[in-house]
C-alpha cells in the first residue's frame, strides 16, 4: 500500500510542478507581450520562480521514495 501511495504522490507532484511552471511561463509571456521593454526583468523573475515552483514537487518525490524504501520510519 505504501508503494501505491508513493507512486500517486510522485505522479501528482510531477503534474503539479508542470502546471506551476506553465503558469509562470504564461504570465511572463503575457507580460512581455504587453511591455516588451521589461523583458529582461521579467525573464529574471521567471528564472527565480521556476526553481521555486519545482522545489515542492522534488521534495514530494523525495518523501515518496522514502516511503517506498522505508527510510526514516
Amino acid at each position: 500500500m505504501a508503494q501505491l501511495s508513493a507512486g500517486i504522490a510522485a505522479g501528482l507532484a510531477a503534474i503539479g510542478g508542470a502546471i506551476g511552471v506553465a503558469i509562470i511561463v504564461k504570465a511572463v509571456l503575457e507580460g512581455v507581450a504587453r511591455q516588451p521593454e521589461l523583458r529582461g526583468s521579467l525573464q529574471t523573475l521567471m528564472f527565480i520562480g521556476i526553481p521555486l515552483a519545482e522545489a515542492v514537487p522534488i521534495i514530494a518525490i523525495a518523501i515518496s521514495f522514502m516511503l517506498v524504501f522505508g527510510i526514516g520510519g
Side-chain angles (χ1 to χ4, degrees):
M1 191 65 164
Q3 287 84 10
L4 179 63
S5 62
I8 291 172
L12 291 176
I15 291 170
I19 291 171
V21 169
I23 290 171
I24 291 171
V25 172
K26 175 185 166 274
V28 169
L29 288 176
E30 287 177 353
V32 170
R34 289 182 183 163
Q35 292 184 331
E37 66 273 6
L38 294 178
R39 179 179 175 256
S41 63
L42 289 174
Q43 192 172 17
T44 302
L45 289 173
M46 180 183 70
F47 288 142
I48 293 170
I50 287 176
L52 291 175
E54 283 290 330
V56 172
I58 290 171
I59 293 169
I61 290 172
I63 291 171
S64 69
F65 282 149
M66 290 171 63
L67 287 173
V68 169
F69 297 116
I71 300 171

